[in-house]
Amino acid sequence: MKNTQLLTSLRYVLFGAFAVTTSAVQAETIAITNATVYTVAEQGVLSQATVVIDGGKITAVYNKDEVPESLSVDTVIDAKGRILTPGFIATKNLLGLVEVGAVSATRDGKDKKADLTFDASLAFNPKSSLIPYARKGGITSNVVMPQGGEKVFTGQSFVVNLSGEFDSVIVSQNAVIVSLGSSRKGSRAVKLQTLSNELEDAKKALAKAEKAKAKKKKSKGKDKDEKEAKTPSRAEQVMYTLLSGEKPLLAYADRATDILALLKIKKKYNLDLILVGASDAVLVSDEIAKAKVTVMMSAIDNLPTSFDSLHNSLANVAILSKAGVTVIITNSGESHNINQLRFDAGVAIANGLAKTTALAAITANVADSFNLNSGRIVVGKNADLVLWSSDPFELSTKVDAMWINGKAMSLKSRQDVLRQRYTANTDMPRAYTK
């Protein structure tokens, strides 16, 4: 490399201790060298590799013997053997829709009137103090899943990056959420029946609309045919996206019988189904694998929370994975502690899950399920990257550097500022002694 070891002013000095600060200046081209790169792709794990970032994208991934001598970049960051991974993607939380769980005025993820069309991304707050804290866990993007209202359909999820910018919503209304299983009042059968009936009605309405459209085209738009062509409602339009496979169905269900019922519904209507929770999925793992259905579940639920989840176990993620099921590991800390996602993945590793599979469960598997251009370190993907001090699944490991869309992120949170404030040596009394 020519003239690459000298960093220009106003750029980041990340050698040695990797002291990272936020700067308004973003290098056009960055090369992260001498890294242990977990690509989560066919290339596997690369030693002493180089990853080049340009224009917010990954433009090159070189093995140690492949780096061209003519490579010229604006900034070089020597990883010194440290681990570089794709940014983690959190799921199943209300990040940006809640600030203080006990204060109702700060909660925007649920409403009694919410239904199939509920788009909570309109209330997303990219300046939430919870977002910088989440970044400290290596999380660069998040699938927010609102809790909706009192109906079977609780709304639609959306995806955000954790840059903290006002344009950080990547895609809104990207998946439809249904809540099934036991209830304090009523029967679970009604929920399953409602889901099936809604899909059947939508299928018939879609067929009728397509027939009317074809007839209109054939008759060259006569008045009589235009009356027959009814404009679908917003709810019907959402249902059509499910039937066409444009959007996945995120179905909360734990009991094995509910899961089997959902698999039948998936087959009948050719849905893109993702099971959420799925505590008893291990009982029907072969059926889930055969149906090619992804399971989104916690890795640390080891006790029953209801009669629907009698088979919770720390080994469930590993068991499903070995059965051929694609698994997404969800965060256990909800919105306020989603930075613990890597620890949850670590628990799954300690209970039989391969490390590379665990990494995929919080990166590539999420990206694939929600059609995101991230989750892997390959050319063309968004430059959402995390450089770690050591093994990311170890408790003592810290994030040394992070990029979202190629831009270096601050790793300072509100908690860091408070610690500094109350432990600083000043003339004022110390708030804490430890």
Side-chain angles (χ1 to χ4, degrees):
M1 298 182 188
K2 299 180 180 179
N3 302 321
T4 56
Q5 298 302 317
L6 179 64
L7 301 184
T8 58
S9 60
L10 296 179
R11 292 191 170 95
Y12 309 104
V13 181
L14 294 177
F15 299 96
F18 289 86
V20 183
T21 58
T22 301
S23 170
V25 177
Q26 179 185 347
E28 292 183 359
T29 310
I30 301 171
I32 305 169
T33 65
N34 298 318
T36 301
V37 180
Y38 282 71
T39 65
V40 201
E42 291 182 3
Q43 288 180 285
V45 181
L46 306 178
S47 299
Q48 294 181 297
T50 296
V51 176
V52 181
I53 303 170
D54 189 11
K57 304 289 184 182
I58 298 170
T59 56
V61 180
Y62 297 114
N63 215 328
K64 61 181 179 180
D65 300 324
E66 299 174 341
V67 183
E69 292 184 4
S70 60
L71 179 65
S72 179
V73 296
D74 298 305
T75 300
V76 172
I77 297 168
D78 187 354
K80 296 186 177 180
R82 289 172 169 82
I83 292 174
L84 184 73
T85 69
F88 295 166
I89 308 173
T91 55
K92 194 175 171 285
N93 59 73
L94 299 175
L95 185 67
L97 296 180
V98 60
E99 197 67 26
V100 181
V103 180
S104 60
T106 72
R107 301 195 303 259
D108 293 308
K110 187 174 183 178
D111 192 285
K112 287 184 178 180
K113 296 181 180 180
D115 60 9
L116 178 65
T117 63
F118 181 43
D119 179 13
S121 68
L122 299 172
F124 177 71
N125 177 22
K127 302 300 180 182
S128 168
S129 64
L130 305 183
I131 289 177
Y133 188 52
R135 288 201 296 260
K136 295 176 77 68
I139 297 171
T140 57
S141 53
N142 181 46
V143 180
V144 187
M145 295 169 58
Q147 297 172 348
E150 300 174 343
K151 299 180 180 179
V152 173
F153 289 93
T154 61
Q156 299 185 59
S157 62
F158 61 97
V159 184
V160 300
N161 67 48
L162 301 195
S163 65
E165 301 295 335
F166 286 114
D167 61 351
S168 56
V169 175
I170 299 172
V171 56
S172 61
Q173 306 178 67
N174 71 314
V176 179
I177 307 169
V178 294
S179 180
L180 305 173
S182 61
S183 301
R184 293 182 180 180
K185 296 181 180 180
S187 168
R188 75 180 67 232
V190 172
K191 295 181 179 181
L192 285 166
Q193 190 173 15
T194 299
L195 172 60
S196 184
N197 289 346
E198 291 283 352
L199 287 167
E200 184 63 29
D201 291 345
K203 183 178 180 180
K204 291 179 179 178
L206 179 60
K208 185 176 180 180
E210 290 177 344
K211 183 178 180 180
K213 184 178 179 180
K215 189 175 181 181
K216 177 182 177 181
K217 184 178 181 180
K218 185 177 180 180
S219 60
K220 297 181 181 180
K222 293 181 180 179
D223 292 341
K224 180 181 178 182
D225 298 313
E226 288 189 11
K227 290 180 181 179
E228 293 181 8
K230 177 187 174 184
T231 301
S233 66
R234 291 186 180 88
E236 286 176 329
Q237 291 177 39
V238 175
M239 294 298 291
Y240 294 169
T241 63
L242 283 178
L243 293 171
S244 66
E246 181 182 337
K247 294 180 181 180
L249 178 69
L250 297 171
Y252 282 83
D254 285 314
R255 203 166 80 174
T257 55
D258 292 336
I259 292 173
L260 290 174
L262 281 165
L263 295 183
K264 290 180 180 179
I265 291 174
K266 168 196 162 49
K267 183 178 181 180
K268 182 177 181 180
Y269 297 103
N270 196 28
L271 303 177
D272 180 6
L273 174 66
I274 299 175
L275 296 171
V276 184
S279 298
D280 280 3
V282 290
L283 300 180
V284 290
S285 58
D286 290 340
E287 289 86 344
I288 296 172
K290 185 178 179 180
K292 296 181 180 180
V293 170
T294 296
V295 171
M296 181 185 294
M297 71 186 318
S298 168
I300 66 169
D301 288 342
N302 66 333
L303 293 173
T305 56
S306 70
F307 285 103
D308 281 11
S309 57
L310 297 178
H311 294 82
N312 271 335
S313 169
L314 298 179
N316 278 0
V317 174
I319 292 171
L320 289 176
S321 180
K322 290 174 183 177
V325 178
T326 298
V327 180
I328 294 172
I329 296 177
T330 65
N331 30 271
S332 59
E334 283 294 330
S335 310
H336 292 76
N337 288 301
I338 68 172
N339 64 331
Q340 296 179 7
L341 177 61
R342 65 190 183 97
F343 302 147
D344 295 356
V347 170
I349 294 169
N351 286 273
L353 188 67
K355 183 179 292 186
T356 53
T357 306
L359 182 57
I362 53 178
T363 55
N365 292 355
V366 190
D368 292 346
S369 297
F370 293 95
N371 196 28
L372 306 177
N373 190 40
S374 57
R376 293 181 174 85
I377 301 181
V378 296
V379 174
K381 295 294 184 182
N382 293 341
D384 295 349
L385 303 170
V386 182
L387 190 61
W388 300 89
S389 64
S390 188
D391 186 336
F393 301 121
E394 292 291 337
L395 286 171
S396 60
T397 299
K398 292 180 173 56
V399 175
D400 280 338
M402 172 185 286
W403 297 264
I404 295 178
N405 291 327
K407 181 179 179 180
M409 292 287 105
S410 169
L411 298 175
K412 182 179 288 186
S413 70
R414 180 172 180 269
Q415 287 80 355
D416 296 320
V417 175
L418 289 173
R419 182 186 63 230
Q420 182 178 359
R421 173 183 178 183
Y422 290 114
T423 60
N425 291 320
T426 67
D427 294 333
M428 297 294 289
R430 287 173 64 88
Y432 301 101
T433 59
K434 293 182 180 180

